[in-house]
Amino acid sequence: MLVSVIGAGTMGSGIALVCARKGHQVKLMDTNQSVLEKAQSFLQKILNRDVEKGRISESEKEKIYQSILPTQSMEQLADCEIVIEAVPERLDLKKKIFQDLSNICSEKALLLSNTSSISITEIAAGCKGEERILGLHFFNPAPVMPLVEVIRGMKSSEENVQKVVQFAKDLGKVPVTCNDSPGFIVNRIARPYYNESLNILGSRIATPKQIDEIMTKAGGFRMGPFALQDLIGIDINFATTESVYTNFFHEGRFKPSRIQQRMVQAGRLGRKTGGGFYDYSK
Amino acid sequence: MTIANKKVLVAGMSPLAQELKELISKHGAQVLSLDQLDEHQDSLDYVVEVTNYNLEDKKRIIQQIDQALAARPEVPILTTSLAITATEVASWTTSPQRVCGFGTFVPLAERKLIELAPALQTEESIVKKVEAFVQSLEKETSIVDDEVGLVFPRVLSLIINEAVFALMEGTASKEDIDIAMKKGTNYPYGPLEWADQIGLDEVYAVVRGLYRDLGEERFRPASLLRKMVLAGRVGKRSNQGFYSYNK
Ligand SMILES: NC(=O)c1ccc[n+]([C@@H]2O[C@H](COP(=O)([O-])OP(=O)(O)OC[C@H]3O[C@@H](n4cnc5c(N)ncnc54)[C@H](O)[C@@H]3O)[C@@H](O)[C@H]2O)c1
């Protein structure tokens, strides 16, 4: 199939790779030339490693690499059957892109957003052919994480939902379907893992180290909630909670933590800043 | 320390009771039930009480045990503080210094660690005794402050509660919710299948207890969870929870 991915950042470059590995022709579009170059060297690096590990041959590598065509022009996407948008998480940006796509692409093209928290219904509103606009939410890193959430906007057609589910299966992913509600499935149901742990910390019931040990040893979770926040980035985690809280009209179950907010304000964001709930400076 | 040849009374309605009896007798202790209390009241070494859903039953059982052991305040009573604080349980007794809270969920085979929560009234010597007791069952311990649901049961119950809200609202099917949490964020089980394994009554007891004691909206139980418990669909134990189980 002819697939295009808009935005060649963290998610877009990974999604392009997932598609190319399954034999799709991919147009990888980004307005920033240097991002496209970075994405290409990232793809080279991953594919070279695949060759080294004997997972693919040199010629297969070339074929996959050549099937990803970088471009800076939206007009180039006119013939694509599936478009996956992965630009930064801003409503105005995404709305503009879907408006443009709905005019440029054929009426049958499926237009999909990788948004983590913006309503698909809102992105689609006013576009030509709202029934073919859906969410296709990958998890980071896209080439590794098996899950994708297929999100049904209020006007998405069931036929198109099934088409996207099949597309995801053909990519080797595990698709689940859900309605357009804040945080979809994972980002919503996982909130208490972080929030309630922060709440427990706030009441001094246990320390972060203790809570992590309890959740892994008593609960069998792979990583404790505090070590995991440090890995994800405390700012990213806080932003997700805030967004779910706001979009649920301040439902108390999603209330963000003041401790977490202070950490963000202090710039203690986790591993990436050398310290979060734990110290990584040594 | 070993509990070989010690006498341990295990009382209460939680599915934890059966598993604790097996675990304790595997480690060489003599396990007694509530109807043997009078006969062994002079020689009992430990008491473990595990009622969570019905707190009136819990109070009746705790008071019966405390009275039978009135002359022996050195015998520890380890009680689940899943739905109520250990401090409140201790307040029902005449020897509150012997009461210590703990909490976990079945299956015990999957728990490498068990949390202990001393009540405000618990004596230090009792804490030491119950710590050694739990460690003798080959479980690590972690001592947390006394609040409803401790840490693991509280966090997991609220994850399950959120999953039930999502299910009730039609956000996704139960199967998709479970798959999403396993494949999108590496949970060992999906929250709804996990609830079936633990017992919905146990999970509900934790959420309801938090809501009762702390009064915040974040602890409001999902009404589907409450109704399933009332309908007796508590999970694997009753062959019906979010999923059906045929014998
Ligand atoms: N990073 C994650 O963990 C993660 C996980 C799941 C979903 N998401 C979602 O995926 C989307 C992208 O996130 P990311 O982390 O890859 O961001 P990113 O910043 O790494 O990449 C976004 C890219 O979009 C490009 N871009 C900006 N405006 C554009 C335009 N008008 N046309 C084309 N390209 C444009 C930027 O140059 C940038 O390279 C967001 O909606 C985010 O919420 C992110």
Side-chain angles (χ1 to χ4, degrees):
Chain A
M1 261 197 269
L2 268 177
V3 178
S4 70
V5 178
I6 305 182
T10 311
M11 294 306 289
S13 54
I15 295 168
L17 179 62
V18 171
C19 296
R21 275 179 174 160
K22 292 291 168 178
H24 296 297
Q25 288 295 316
V26 183
K27 289 180 184 169
L28 181 56
M29 189 261 171
D30 201 293
T31 43
N32 185 334
Q33 178 61 29
S34 69
V35 171
L36 284 173
E37 282 161 17
K38 245 179 71 188
Q40 282 188 295
S41 57
F42 162 78
L43 293 167
Q44 278 282 6
K45 207 179 88 192
I46 299 234
L47 290 169
N48 281 334
R49 202 166 50 202
D50 283 355
V51 174
E52 278 164 32
K53 297 229 163 132
R55 283 190 281 243
I56 54 172
S57 68
E58 189 66 35
S59 68
E60 281 169 320
K61 175 203 132 182
E62 267 318 296
K63 193 166 160 250
I64 295 171
Y65 186 71
Q66 295 302 335
S67 66
I68 302 175
L69 188 77
T71 174
Q72 279 182 276
S73 145
M74 193 91 140
E75 310 298 327
Q76 290 272 318
L77 313 184
D79 54 353
C80 285
E81 296 155 87
I82 291 190
V83 182
I84 304 166
E85 166 276 313
V87 303
E89 192 76 337
R90 272 174 38 207
L91 178 64
D92 57 337
L93 206 57
K94 293 193 193 266
K95 270 197 93 85
K96 171 81 170 63
I97 285 174
F98 279 84
Q99 287 285 352
D100 292 347
L101 285 172
S102 69
N103 290 317
I104 295 167
C105 299
S106 97
E107 277 169 25
K108 281 205 198 124
L110 295 169
L111 309 180
L112 315 175
S113 174
N114 184 50
T115 179
S116 314
S117 61
I118 300 175
S119 149
I120 300 300
T121 308
E122 189 168 16
I123 291 173
C127 289
K128 231 167 48 192
E130 289 171 65
E131 73 289 339
R132 40 82 178 256
I133 298 177
L134 291 83
L136 181 62
H137 185 214
F138 290 81
F139 289 76
N140 189 19
V144 178
M145 295 299 286
L147 188 77
V148 292
E149 292 175 329
V150 177
I151 300 122
R152 207 183 272 118
M154 266 196 81
K155 294 197 179 164
S156 312
S157 77
E158 206 46 44
E159 190 191 339
N160 286 332
V161 171
Q162 290 318 316
K163 278 188 194 162
V164 177
V165 165
Q166 192 56 51
F167 172 70
K169 282 186 184 160
D170 293 343
L171 288 180
K173 294 294 178 188
V174 178
V176 293
T177 59
C178 65
N179 288 340
D180 188 11
S181 95
F184 311 127
I185 301 175
V186 174
N187 279 341
R188 169 188 180 168
I189 296 175
R191 292 286 40 86
Y193 193 59
Y194 312 105
N195 268 358
E196 202 49 35
S197 300
L198 285 156
N199 203 18
I200 286 170
L201 171 64
S203 318
R204 303 249 184 153
I205 292 166
T207 65
K209 191 162 168 276
Q210 238 188 324
I211 296 170
D212 279 356
E213 190 183 29
I214 291 169
M215 295 312 287
T216 52
K217 288 187 178 169
F221 287 88
R222 202 166 301 174
M223 247 181 133
F226 294 99
L228 196 50
Q229 285 175 66
D230 278 358
L231 182 71
I232 297 168
I234 296 172
D235 52 337
I236 305 278
N237 193 273
F238 182 66
T240 306
T241 302
E242 256 198 315
S243 143
V244 172
Y245 180 59
T246 306
N247 290 319
F248 267 107
F249 293 126
H250 297 187
E251 162 65 47
R253 299 199 308 280
F254 305 108
K255 196 159 126 189
S257 149
R258 281 180 288 118
I259 297 176
Q260 206 183 27
Q261 185 188 37
R262 285 286 178 273
M263 305 273 294
V264 175
Q265 289 166 342
R268 275 187 78 82
L269 308 180
R271 283 176 188 262
K272 62 186 173 190
T273 60
F277 291 102
Y278 297 92
D279 186 16
Y280 305 92
S281 58
K282 276 162 233 126
Chain B
M1 190 197 108
T2 160
I3 53 165
N5 304 319
K6 299 281 183 192
K7 288 185 180 181
V8 184
L9 175 77
V10 178
M13 323 285 195
S14 159
L16 284 166
Q18 189 52 38
E19 291 202 6
L20 278 167
K21 284 180 185 168
E22 286 163 19
L23 184 66
I24 292 166
S25 59
K26 202 184 91 187
H27 285 83
Q30 185 186 353
V31 175
L32 306 168
S33 56
L34 196 57
D35 51 22
Q36 297 169 287
L37 173 62
D38 292 344
E39 188 186 336
H40 295 273
Q41 61 189 32
D42 298 328
S43 55
L44 261 177
D45 296 295
Y46 301 92
V47 175
V48 185
E49 188 287 326
V50 293
T51 306
N52 301 314
Y53 179 64
N54 189 328
L55 296 177
E56 281 166 27
D57 284 342
K58 189 176 184 79
K59 188 171 187 175
R60 186 175 45 72
I61 295 167
I62 287 284
Q63 288 183 333
Q64 183 188 343
I65 294 167
D66 180 59
Q67 273 154 28
L69 300 174
R72 303 184 59 219
E74 74 283 2
V75 178
I77 301 181
L78 197 52
T79 183
T80 46
S81 47
L82 290 179
I84 186 167
T85 59
T87 301
E88 187 167 349
V89 176
S91 77
W92 296 336
T93 68
T94 52
S95 306
Q97 73 282 1
R98 70 155 111 205
V99 177
C100 182
F102 83 105
T104 190
F105 285 142
V106 295
L108 289 178
E110 292 185 7
R111 315 279 166 251
K112 287 200 197 75
L113 180 151
I114 291 179
E115 294 165 64
L116 299 174
L120 276 184
Q121 307 94 317
T122 316
E123 234 170 44
E124 194 50 37
S125 63
I126 294 286
V127 177
K128 289 273 171 302
K129 266 192 201 172
V130 296
E131 218 179 352
F133 171 75
V134 174
Q135 286 167 1
S136 75
L137 301 173
E138 291 175 86
K139 302 291 181 192
E140 290 177 43
T141 53
S142 186
I143 297 187
V144 303
D145 216 52
D146 180 28
E147 192 49 86
V148 173
L150 305 92
V151 174
F152 162 60
R154 171 170 170 174
V155 173
L156 180 57
S157 295
L158 290 167
I159 289 170
I160 292 169
N161 196 45
E162 196 51 47
V164 181
F165 271 112
L167 179 68
M168 268 171 69
E169 291 164 8
T171 299
S173 69
K174 56 180 186 276
E175 291 86 358
D176 278 0
I177 289 173
D178 281 344
I179 291 168
M181 301 314 287
K182 286 184 286 188
K183 302 287 183 188
T185 179
N186 286 325
Y187 282 16
Y189 299 97
L192 300 171
E193 60 184 2
W194 211 346
D196 276 3
Q197 192 185 85
I198 293 165
L200 272 60
D201 47 349
E202 299 272 283
V203 173
Y204 175 62
V206 173
V207 182
R208 181 193 60 187
L210 286 163
Y211 194 52
R212 188 199 76 157
D213 274 18
L214 302 176
E216 285 179 59
E217 195 185 337
R218 65 192 303 128
F219 303 120
R220 183 163 57 92
S223 63
L224 178 63
L225 181 62
R226 181 183 70 245
K227 287 191 285 188
M228 288 189 60
V229 173
L230 291 172
R233 298 182 188 172
V234 297
K236 277 192 178 156
R237 231 163 76 232
S238 68
N239 294 322
Q240 178 71 49
F242 292 107
Y243 297 90
S244 296
Y245 305 86
N246 294 320
K247 273 188 188 159

